[in-house]
Amino acid sequence: MSTPANGAPLLDVRGLTTEFATRTGAVAAVRDVSLTVRRGEKVAIVGESGCGKSTLALSILGLIDKPGRIAAGELVLDGRNLVGLRESAMKSIRGKVVSLIFQDPMGALDPIQTIGAQMIDALRRHQPGLSRKAARARAVELLREVEVPAAERRLDDYPHHYSGGMRQRVMIAIALANSPDLIIADEPTTALDVTTQAQVLSLLERVVADHGVAVLLITHNLGVVAEFCDVVQVMYAGRIVERGPTEAILAKPTHPYTQALLESIPDPARIGTRLRAIPGMPPDLSATPTGCAFEPRCFFGNGREICRTHQPAPVAIETPAGPSLVECHFAAERAARTNEVVAS
């Protein structure tokens, strides 16, 4: 795992709220979220399905369609606030400054166009002065960079001629086409077998090292996070409930939700120990929780009055791997149990 980059954030999300109009009122799928991603940094957003991860990614890309809207906050990318930009301005940013790797490459690629045609289109959209010959040569270079065998010949194949892992390599190549500063990868390994998943992660690791690009990884797979990411942000019911260095968060989680996520996945160190399922479901956000949204499912603070009535404020925790922030009324108490230090 590489060391996170320092300096000013490349992406600075400040108090973002994204909501959708419904017959019964507005539903906030992302609620007052703040996070940063620095150049060369690999940041994970993790959580169950329906917790707001993909909505957050689409908000950054300006792809929230009506009845959705960004209701509050700022999305500052390389010093420019993206909130409120016209679609024409966003089109010049998407694919050039920030790119997206989809979960399902077969659904993202056009089945009736060759891989080469789609890559050439992606290149010339942001580099109109590039000739088709030069664009084709660059497309071949990109396929070779993501280790597609016989790149020049495979450029003229259609998506269905590629395996799932090779299609995902094509998506990475297209994402890299115009040298973006940030790549958002939305569950890029979910549909792949374990061996191919490891190959794709290794490829992304090399892309970060070679190009200095930052990666915002949307996933529910904590194994992928442990292997790939520098920083993890745990999302629940539209909020970031715990954030910090991956090593610290996965080794000694402070928020009960993070701990529950870790205890619900197989771990060779816990052979013979029964996995713990998280009871219940994430809350219905058509009625914004007045207290901690995780309270009905929490094994630690369940039944305590403050958890039901007050939204917890972030508590700073100092760990050997670096500082973390936790939204839990009992973060200090839980941190003390693991010998961590609560920052003043």
Side-chain angles (χ1 to χ4, degrees):
M1 186 180 298
S2 66
T3 302
N6 294 316
L10 169 65
L11 174 68
D12 192 1
V13 180
R14 306 170 184 167
L16 180 71
T17 295
T18 301
E19 63 182 26
F20 295 85
T22 71
R23 294 177 184 175
T24 57
V27 175
V30 174
R31 302 187 296 135
D32 194 21
V33 164
S34 296
L35 64 89
T36 60
V37 181
R38 289 176 169 78
R39 295 181 187 277
E41 194 172 47
K42 296 164 290 183
V43 177
I45 306 291
V46 303
E48 296 167 281
S49 295
C51 284
K53 306 185 302 296
S54 292
T55 301
L56 173 59
L58 294 175
S59 298
I60 295 168
L61 289 160
L63 294 175
I64 298 295
D65 295 325
K66 292 181 178 180
R69 71 184 185 102
I70 293 177
E74 296 182 328
L75 290 163
V76 181
L77 180 63
D78 200 18
R80 185 181 189 184
N81 188 8
L82 306 184
V83 176
L85 285 186
R86 296 182 179 221
E87 176 60 16
S88 58
M90 285 304 304
K91 282 183 177 180
S92 69
I93 292 170
R94 288 194 293 263
K96 176 63 177 176
V97 184
V98 56
S99 292
L100 176 65
I101 300 173
F102 292 92
Q103 177 177 344
D104 177 17
M106 193 61 187
L109 293 168
D110 188 337
I112 64 172
Q113 285 198 68
T114 65
I115 294 298
Q118 294 178 68
M119 294 186 69
I120 290 168
D121 178 65
L123 284 160
R124 298 186 75 199
R125 183 177 299 134
H126 292 285
Q127 302 176 58
L130 197 66
S131 69
R132 292 194 66 82
K133 182 178 180 180
R136 182 180 174 87
R138 176 59 180 149
V140 171
E141 288 177 8
L142 287 164
L143 286 188
R144 286 175 179 158
E145 187 170 352
V146 298
E147 300 173 359
V148 171
E152 191 162 6
R153 176 174 58 80
R154 299 301 307 272
L155 203 65
D156 296 318
D157 286 344
Y158 290 86
H160 68 271
H161 292 136
Y162 284 68
S163 67
M166 285 297 166
R167 284 194 291 268
Q168 197 59 282
R169 290 170 185 266
V170 170
M171 288 303 305
I172 295 171
I174 292 174
L176 286 173
N178 294 290
S179 304
D181 297 312
L182 173 67
I183 292 177
I184 298 177
D186 190 359
E187 300 279 11
T189 61
T190 295
L192 306 176
D193 61 74
V194 175
T195 301
T196 306
Q197 175 179 288
Q199 292 172 349
V200 169
L201 286 177
S202 177
L203 176 59
L204 281 172
E205 184 81 53
R206 185 166 57 77
V207 163
V208 172
D210 291 349
H211 296 268
V213 64
V215 176
L216 182 63
L217 177 69
I218 311 294
T219 186
H220 66 274
N221 189 329
L222 292 173
V224 169
V225 172
E227 183 178 347
F228 180 72
C229 293
D230 307 305
V231 176
V232 60
Q233 314 248 359
V234 182
M235 197 165 188
Y236 185 75
R239 292 183 67 87
I240 302 296
V241 297
E242 186 163 12
R243 71 192 76 187
T246 299
E247 179 184 346
I249 299 297
L250 298 190
K252 293 183 178 180
T254 301
H255 198 285
Y257 178 58
T258 311
Q259 183 175 339
L261 285 176
L262 287 167
E263 291 180 353
S264 68
I265 60 174
D267 183 348
R270 298 200 308 266
I271 292 176
T273 302
R274 190 169 183 173
L275 296 179
R276 174 188 284 184
I278 306 176
M281 297 286 290
D284 178 1
L285 293 178
S286 60
T288 304
T290 55
C292 174
F294 190 60
E295 183 273 333
R297 309 172 75 189
C298 183
F299 61 86
F300 187 82
N302 185 266
R304 304 196 192 191
E305 182 67 19
I306 191 172
C307 297
R308 293 194 298 267
T309 59
H310 291 79
Q311 170 67 45
V315 176
I317 306 293
E318 292 295 335
T319 78
S324 64
L325 282 176
V326 187
E327 286 194 355
C328 176
H329 291 297
F330 301 97
E333 184 177 338
R334 289 176 57 76
R337 292 187 177 189
T338 57
N339 299 317
E340 305 294 1
V341 178
V342 180
S344 59

